Amino acid sequence: MAVEVRALKNGPYEVSGDLGGVALKDKDGNPYDLEGKPKMYLCRCGASTTKPFCDGQHSKVGFEAAEAAVKTED
């Protein structure tokens, strides 16, 4: 199953699929254990206390974001 990344309305990135094949690492290169997890939510508001994961702070800080994909010209 492919990995899918979706921007949730005024919220985190939802990452779903076969996360066992995803290499998510911290600033020191230490991997996060994602084996067996069907989804994860990554912070994009900057306010989470559990970065890189979302802890719901976006709703408390009033985060607003654009979710629509913007076409770029090559």
Side-chain angles (χ1 to χ4, degrees):
M1 177 181 195
V3 173
E4 179 178 280
V5 180
R6 188 169 65 122
L8 300 182
K9 182 175 175 85
N10 297 325
Y13 289 112
E14 177 187 68
V15 184
S16 59
D18 182 10
L19 301 186
V22 173
L24 179 64
K25 298 180 180 183
D26 69 13
K27 66 177 182 63
D28 296 322
N30 300 309
Y32 290 96
D33 181 13
L34 304 174
E35 194 65 40
K37 296 188 192 291
K39 303 185 172 181
M40 69 174 155
Y41 297 88
L42 298 176
C43 175
R44 65 181 178 137
C45 75
S48 176
T49 60
T50 59
K51 288 183 197 88
F53 304 104
C54 174
D55 67 359
Q57 291 296 318
H58 57 272
S59 60
K60 295 178 182 169
V61 299
F63 178 68
E64 293 183 16
E67 282 79 26
V70 177
K71 250 187 174 177
T72 59
E73 294 185 32
D74 294 331

